[in-house]
Amino acid sequence: MVGVAVLYLALQIAVAMMGGTVFAFVEVALHGDEGAYGEALAKSAIYGNGIQVVLVAFQLIAVAVFLPWWRRMRPGSFAQRREDLAPKGASRAKTVAALLLVGIAAQFFVSGLLGLVEMFAPEAIAEYSEMMADSSTGIFVLVAAVSTAILAPINEEIVCRGIMLEYAMRAVSPWWSARERARRHAVSARAFWVANILQALAFGVLHMNLIQGSYAFALGIVEGWVFWRTGKLRYSILLHFALNASSYLVAPLAPYINMLPAPVMFALFGAMLAAGIWLFDNTWAPQAPQFRDSP
């Protein structure tokens, strides 16, 4: 699991270095003065748009690398075993509604928490906001939206809830073997939650900053639970999409939400979050008895 995380980070760094070098040379070629291009580059439209191009390039490369990996390891995996045991006939409409509700409510709930953190650590939140700011222009605004709402959920779910969770499950299942795999075994709830916390921790670390990594860890636990309950990666991708896409609603709706007292705001989105989790849990309630770890 750690090896997958390191490979993912190394790939991201390599693509960023190559892309950054290309756009630095472009900026120097356009503006000259090679000795002083750094500050101008950081403020230029080429740099802001270039970041999105490099990020999309990395995301596409990551999908090309990790999706075949996941497809190869899925047969006989814990996820496949879990899908075989998942309830049949669960309502897709209720599932989609629940996951959209959880994603949107979680986004606004986390935004409220960040507002509280800003009261005690304004400099940290200022640095975080600057890092997360989107400086793209023109058509690259759409590129940024596709990257955030579609490509990020796909590649991060494949890597974290797919490959890394599978390796974490193997790590906490001493009876697992390359020959038997998980075809004839079931896993206890305790073993799953240990593995789920491990992959969520790695997911948080992959964001490479404390603030984003902290809430990514919590959300990664929920996404891992959704994947495990259904055995289908598409549902955790949908939840991830709802989380990321709803980030574009925070700023437009902030003036209206800020009219509410903070306790009311937290109660409202907390209730929405709980309702979404309840609806999903009820829709995918286990129909088979719980199994214990195999000896």
Side-chain angles (χ1 to χ4, degrees), residues 64-249:
V65 170
F66 292 103
L67 180 57
W69 188 342
W70 170 238
R71 285 179 172 175
R72 183 176 181 180
M73 74 187 305
R74 181 174 173 80
S77 68
F78 290 97
Q80 184 64 61
R81 168 70 173 170
R82 188 65 182 181
E83 183 176 359
D84 294 339
L85 297 174
K88 302 300 186 289
S91 171
R92 291 186 179 180
K94 288 183 179 180
T95 301
V96 170
L99 295 179
L100 291 178
L101 184 59
V102 170
I104 294 171
Q107 178 63 244
F108 281 91
F109 193 85
V110 169
S111 298
L113 289 178
L114 293 178
L116 290 180
V117 173
E118 187 175 16
M119 297 173 60
F120 302 97
E123 293 182 0
I125 294 297
E127 292 177 1
Y128 166 78
S129 299
E130 182 179 358
M131 180 188 65
M132 298 296 291
D134 182 7
S135 57
S136 55
T137 59
I139 189 64
F140 293 96
V141 174
L142 178 60
V143 173
V146 171
S147 171
T148 299
I150 298 177
L151 294 179
I154 291 174
N155 85 77
E156 290 176 2
E157 292 306 307
I158 291 171
V159 172
C160 298
R161 259 61 69 185
I163 299 174
M164 290 204 301
L165 180 56
E166 174 66 19
Y167 281 129
M169 291 297 298
R170 296 179 186 181
V172 299
S173 303
W175 46 262
W176 186 92
S177 68
R179 182 175 181 179
E180 290 291 331
R181 299 189 182 182
R183 291 189 181 95
R184 302 179 181 179
H185 300 279
V187 178
S188 69
R190 183 177 64 179
F192 159 70
W193 283 109
V194 171
N196 194 35
I197 290 172
L198 289 174
Q199 68 80 21
L201 181 61
F203 179 56
V205 171
L206 287 176
H207 286 78
M208 293 187 290
N209 70 85
L210 181 60
I211 293 176
Q212 191 179 17
S214 297
Y215 65 75
F217 166 71
L219 298 173
I221 290 177
V222 178
E223 289 161 346
W225 171 70
V226 166
F227 174 52
W228 185 246
R229 179 58 66 89
T230 63
K232 295 179 174 65
L233 203 59
R234 69 175 72 102
Y235 290 125
S236 62
I237 291 175
L238 175 61
L239 174 56
H240 203 145
F241 161 79
L243 282 161
N244 286 14
S246 59
S247 64
Y248 290 96
L249 300 176

